[in-house]
């Protein structure tokens, strides 16, 4: 992907929010139904529990509403809603259209399916819309993978779950937060992770694992190069929450320490399009990001897609100036 041209109108994130279904399934619960153990799941994945239930529209409305409230933007000022999801409630229309209506928005609304890389794809698109004149864009990542998971298959039932998280992007004067980005896909690898329409997830876990580390490292490196930064300058990494060993192996190769990682995997499992924004929202809620920090988002998923982005939090310029949000 090319570097961002100079002088495009940028954006900053001014609000965020998340939603998880109330129902929790622990590893001990899974021990009752499939041949597995809490210790094995923790050791091989890092997951302790996962939230399941709800619909893609319902969870998106919940996280979207919290995000709009936090940012304080007028509903009528939102120019577009982009919903990253692999599990829309219907084939047609896009779940985003129903979410738009339920949130009381009057703007374009569409779904993006790039599997677990979907949120970063949507975020990059939203920046593109802002460069083209939009001023405020709501980006939501939601998946309800429990509905397409075979709960008798110990290969996948231990991993997948439901959740949603969102951000509001607002246009600023001058360059915003996005310093570099990369989107990738390799359709030849689709056979390793897929679900037919109306079917359940099929996965070759070992092959996905092997490729995931490679493509996360590759994508993150490209984004950092486009941003003109090195790994040691990154303050926080927000990786796709699929498996702690994939995260560890990728960060090792990138030369990034685990202390710089946002993690919710242990309590959420793999929530696909929701995974990166859920971890980002958690880090923000816990005060782990301050103005001017460099944040690296990096994910991978079925397709096999990969996506990454380098953000300078708040869009603060190198000399400390604060870009003004456009009304
Ligand atoms: N519980 C207990 N034991 C299990 C098990 C489970 N759920 N699944 C497999 N095992 C056993 C196997 O039978 C095998 O036993 P053996 O050594 O006696 O033959 C052993 O544990 C190792 O199995 P293996 O398949 O090699 O495990 P793994 O280390 O590859 O872990 C995954 C399996 C699925 C956790 C791992 O491959 C993975 O996470 N891959 C990436 C998947 C992913 O991220 N998908 C989403 C992408 S967005």
């Amino acid at each position: 992907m090319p570097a961002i041209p100079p002088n495009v109108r940028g954006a900053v994130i001014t609000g965020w929010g998340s939603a998880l279904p109330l129902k929790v399934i622990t590893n001990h619960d899974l021990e009752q139904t499939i041949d597995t153990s809490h210790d094995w799941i923790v050791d091989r994945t890092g997951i302790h529990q996962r939230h399941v239930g709800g619909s893609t529209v319902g969870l998106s409305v919940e996280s979207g509403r919290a995000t709009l409230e936090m940012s304080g933007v007028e509903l009528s000022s939102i120019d577009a809603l982009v919903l990253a999801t692999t599990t829309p409630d219907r084939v047609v229309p896009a779940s985003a259209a129903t979410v738009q209506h339920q949130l009381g928005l009057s703007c374009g609304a569409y779904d993006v399916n790039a599997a677990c890389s979907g949120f970063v794809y949507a975020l990059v698109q939203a920046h593109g819309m802002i460069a083209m004149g939009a001023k405020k864009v709501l980006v939501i990542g939601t998946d309800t993978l429990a509905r397409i998971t075979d709960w008798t298959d110990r290969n996948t039932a231990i991993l997948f779950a439901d959740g949603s998280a969102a951000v509001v992007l607002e246009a600023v004067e001058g360059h915003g937060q996005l310093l570099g980005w990369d989107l990738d896909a390799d359709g030849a690898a689709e056979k390793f992770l897929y679900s037919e329409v109306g079917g359940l997830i099929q996965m070759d876990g070992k092959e996905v694992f092997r490729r995931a580390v490679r493509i996360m490292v590759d994508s993150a490196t490209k984004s950092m190069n486009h941003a003109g930064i090195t790994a040691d300058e990154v303050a926080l990494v927000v990786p796709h929450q699929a498996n702690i060993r994939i995260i560890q192996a990728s960060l090792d190769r990138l030369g990034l320490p685990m202390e710089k990682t946002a993690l919710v995997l242990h309590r959420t499992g793999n929530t696909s399009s929701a995974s990166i924004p859920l971890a980002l929202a958690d880090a923000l809620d816990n005060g782990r990001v301050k103005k001017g920090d460099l944040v690296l988002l990096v994910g991978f998923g079925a397709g096999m897609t990969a996506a990454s982005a380098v953000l300078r939090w708040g869009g603060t310029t190198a000399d400390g100036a604060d870009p003004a949000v456009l009304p």
Side-chain angles (χ1 to χ4, degrees):
M1 288 291 172
I4 299 168
N7 305 325
V8 296
R9 184 156 92 184
V12 296
I13 290 173
T14 59
W16 58 89
S18 51
L20 289 167
L22 290 179
K23 183 174 176 189
V24 171
I25 297 183
T26 65
N27 294 344
H28 295 295
D29 293 331
L30 291 178
E31 284 174 351
Q32 310 304 312
T33 51
I34 49 177
D35 180 16
T36 192
S37 71
H38 169 76
D39 290 347
W40 191 95
I41 300 172
V42 171
D43 184 51
R44 307 308 288 168
T45 72
I47 299 168
H48 290 236
Q49 62 165 52
R50 66 286 289 143
H51 292 252
V52 301
S55 66
T56 291
V57 166
L59 290 169
S60 301
V61 169
E62 198 181 329
S63 71
R65 189 169 285 137
T67 301
L68 292 166
E69 279 171 16
M70 177 177 181
S71 70
V73 295
E74 295 285 331
L75 295 183
S76 59
S77 70
I78 296 290
D79 294 312
L81 160 59
V82 191
L83 171 60
T85 187
T86 312
T87 47
D89 290 342
R90 291 169 163 165
V91 175
V92 172
S95 292
T98 317
V99 174
Q100 179 252 29
H101 171 65
Q102 292 192 17
L103 284 175
L105 303 176
S106 47
C107 61
Y110 63 99
D111 292 357
V112 168
N113 178 353
C116 306
S117 307
F119 178 79
V120 179
Y121 267 71
L123 191 73
V124 170
Q125 283 187 353
H127 280 89
M129 280 191 272
I130 284 177
M132 290 294 102
K135 286 192 179 157
K136 298 178 199 307
V137 182
L138 176 62
V139 181
I140 307 179
T142 305
D143 264 307
T144 45
L145 293 176
R147 294 186 302 176
I148 59 165
T149 298
D150 178 353
W151 289 95
T152 65
D153 171 18
R154 70 176 183 169
N155 187 34
T156 51
I158 58 167
L159 299 175
F160 298 119
D162 304 337
S164 176
V167 296
V168 164
L169 283 186
E170 295 194 64
V172 292
E173 290 287 4
H175 205 91
Q177 63 188 7
L178 185 62
L179 304 188
W181 56 276
D182 174 69
L183 306 180
D184 195 16
D186 175 11
E190 66 173 11
K191 56 181 177 283
F192 302 123
L193 183 56
Y194 67 92
S195 168
E196 301 294 351
V197 172
L200 299 171
I201 298 173
Q202 310 295 319
M203 184 182 77
D204 178 340
K206 272 197 190 314
E207 193 57 35
V208 171
F209 193 118
R210 205 172 60 78
R211 286 167 184 261
V213 175
R214 197 170 68 222
I215 64 181
M216 291 248 285
V217 171
D218 182 59
S219 185
T221 303
K222 284 179 183 155
S223 278
M224 288 193 287
N225 287 343
H226 290 152
I229 64 150
T230 53
D232 55 319
E233 294 175 79
V234 171
L236 184 77
V237 189
V238 189
H240 172 41
Q241 314 280 306
N243 182 316
I244 195 72
R245 292 187 298 134
I246 292 176
I247 294 172
Q248 257 158 356
S250 311
L251 263 61
D252 270 2
R253 285 167 177 71
L254 288 165
L256 283 158
M258 283 299 277
E259 305 86 76
K260 287 187 173 179
T261 313
L263 288 175
V264 291
L265 169 74
H266 53 289
R267 62 184 173 85
T268 63
N270 180 347
T271 57
S272 193
S273 306
S275 118
I276 287 179
L278 274 172
L280 176 64
D282 183 74
L284 291 165
D285 287 341
N286 286 299
R288 292 185 64 191
V289 186
K290 58 183 191 313
K291 205 171 268 258
D293 277 353
L294 291 172
V295 178
L296 169 65
L297 314 180
V298 56
F300 70 94
M304 274 189 71
T305 57
S308 57
V310 174
L311 311 179
R312 186 180 292 284
W313 197 255
T316 313
T317 52
D319 58 6
D322 229 355
V325 170
L326 298 176

